Amino acid sequence: MTAPVPAPAIPVIDLAGDQADVARQLVSAAQEHGFIYIRNLDNDITADDVDRAFALSRDLFDAPADEKRRCSIKNNRGWAGMHVEALDPKNQKLGDFKEAFNFGEFVDGKAQQPLPSTVADKEPLFSAFADSCRKLCHKILYLLGLGLDVGEFLSSAHFTGQPDSGTTLRFLCYPPAESAAHSGQDVRAGAHSDYGSITLLFRLKGQAGLEVLDKNETWAPVPVCPPGTETDPGPPILVNIGDLLSYWTNGLFRSTVHRVVFPTAGSGAVAGESSSGTRYSIAFFCHPVDSSRLEPVPSQRVQSCVPAGNASDANPYAKRKVLTAAEHLTMRLNASYGASLDNDEASKA
């Protein structure tokens, strides 16, 4: 495995600043990096909210095995055990070294899928956290639209309040490196870009593993707490641009490839972070309504953008047809789960 380079200079943006300036900073970061740290969220999501969400995550994965199996993943909703998903199927001999539990949209505070009985009484807490994430995504998408001079074009394509989007709240549990029999080529989560519009990623201090593929095609670690945030009440939220915003902006915004590895001292580990012990993370994948068409937004900046390299890289499917958000998600999920699920299930994912 190639040793990662030092951590990239991913911008840390204060969302409490002047909104026009914040919009400009977000667009610049989305274009240059595809990853963005955000802080000072004006109580949209507090450090206490995140702590409670991680407590819910532990309860979820501590549920008895038969309860989790009863909630096995269907239509991208539910529990996936170790090695069920392979985010980089072309290069992985084994599936990802992780468990995951996916929640789709909540309707009137109710999950549209089974829950382990051991956490059923906490359904309102899961729903409340998902709602907070959705509202924060709406704010970020509005600011990105403001920065592109398209107003509410991006934000209005999301959040119908009905389960007709791929929006997913995902809890992730990675076993300790010392307990997971793995080779030097194995990864905790294979290299991939995210499938939706934007992702909110929540991590815990001291837990290593996330890497990003930089512009030099080199893997670089992404610290949980970048310089200047060490004394914040909690780690900043990491926002990354997904495929759909890259498609919508004709490649202006970067949908950055990333992975989760088993770092060791001297091979890219961040000082103060370790891969020992169980690693938890929480991701909120924000998607537009299923029928949204993946064609460039009406922005002069987007229209004048010339994608680097092969122009088709911005949307490699555009020459065949303009996909909808639902068609794109189905295509990506079939690639990730196809080897692990039977054909009927893969076709429904």
Side-chain angles (χ1 to χ4, degrees):
M1 182 181 296
T2 302
V5 299
I10 297 171
V12 181
I13 296 178
D14 186 336
L15 287 194
D18 174 80
Q19 294 301 276
D21 186 50
V22 171
R24 178 191 60 77
Q25 292 180 58
L26 285 171
V27 167
S28 177
Q31 180 177 358
E32 292 298 317
H33 299 276
F35 269 29
I36 310 160
Y37 292 106
I38 58 172
R39 66 196 301 201
N40 294 334
L41 309 181
D42 194 25
N43 293 321
D44 290 308
I45 299 178
T46 67
D48 287 343
D49 292 333
V50 176
D51 288 344
R52 282 190 289 270
F54 275 110
L56 290 171
S57 179
R58 293 184 182 94
D59 291 341
L60 193 57
F61 292 112
D62 285 345
D66 59 342
E67 281 291 311
K68 290 188 286 190
R69 282 193 292 270
R70 184 177 62 80
C71 303
S72 288
I73 195 161
K74 294 180 180 179
N75 304 317
N76 199 36
R77 308 298 186 224
W79 175 75
M82 285 275 289
H83 309 310
V84 166
E85 184 178 24
L87 287 168
D88 186 13
K90 292 182 179 179
N91 296 303
Q92 288 179 260
K93 293 182 179 179
L94 285 175
D96 294 346
F97 281 76
K98 70 175 191 288
E99 288 184 60
F101 200 102
N102 293 1
F103 288 91
E105 294 275 18
F106 290 80
V107 178
D108 296 327
K110 299 293 184 181
Q112 305 302 295
Q113 62 196 72
L115 293 178
S117 60
T118 51
V119 298
D121 62 330
K122 297 172 181 175
E123 183 178 43
L125 299 178
F126 287 107
S127 177
F129 186 68
D131 190 51
S132 295
C133 290
R134 186 181 299 105
K135 290 176 180 177
L136 179 56
C137 286
H138 190 275
K139 176 184 287 188
I140 295 169
L141 287 164
Y142 171 75
L143 288 167
L144 287 169
L146 183 66
L148 290 174
D149 294 321
V150 295
E152 297 183 0
F153 184 95
L154 294 176
S155 56
S156 64
H158 300 71
F159 318 119
T160 65
Q162 297 297 322
D164 60 348
S165 84
T167 294
T168 302
L169 172 61
R170 175 170 243 206
F171 294 85
L172 293 151
C173 178
Y174 301 83
E178 57 270 23
S179 71
H182 62 279
S183 73
Q185 302 301 313
D186 288 327
V187 293
R188 285 167 152 176
H192 65 287
S193 58
D194 285 352
Y195 310 162
S197 300
I198 58 174
T199 301
L200 306 179
L201 180 64
F202 304 87
R203 295 181 290 164
L204 293 171
K205 286 184 178 180
Q207 296 194 345
L210 181 63
E211 293 183 344
V212 62
L213 191 64
D214 66 18
K215 290 183 177 180
N216 297 317
E217 298 294 307
T218 303
W219 288 109
V222 182
V224 176
C225 295
T229 68
E230 297 89 348
T231 61
D232 285 6
I237 299 171
L238 188 63
V239 178
N240 63 288
I241 302 300
D243 291 348
L244 302 192
L245 276 194
S246 185
Y247 291 173
W248 264 332
T249 59
N250 197 33
L252 178 70
F253 289 175
R254 297 186 66 209
S255 181
T256 306
V257 176
H258 52 283
R259 67 183 184 180
V260 180
V261 298
F262 294 97
T264 57
S267 68
V270 174
E273 296 183 5
S274 170
S275 58
S276 65
T278 302
R279 180 184 188 270
Y280 294 94
S281 65
I282 302 171
F284 186 81
F285 300 106
C286 178
H287 286 249
V289 295
D290 288 341
S291 59
S292 299
R293 290 168 58 81
L294 306 183
E295 49 194 0
V297 299
S299 161
Q300 184 175 358
R301 188 168 179 178
V302 168
Q303 291 170 0
S304 63
C305 173
V306 178
N310 186 343
S312 66
D313 288 346
N315 186 349
Y317 310 102
K319 289 186 177 181
R320 286 184 275 173
K321 66 172 183 175
V322 174
L323 295 177
T324 65
E327 288 169 338
H328 173 263
L329 179 59
T330 297
M331 177 185 66
R332 293 297 304 271
L333 290 173
N334 284 345
S336 294
Y337 288 109
S340 301
L341 302 180
D342 61 41
N343 290 334
D344 179 61
E345 187 56 60
S347 68
K348 294 186 293 181

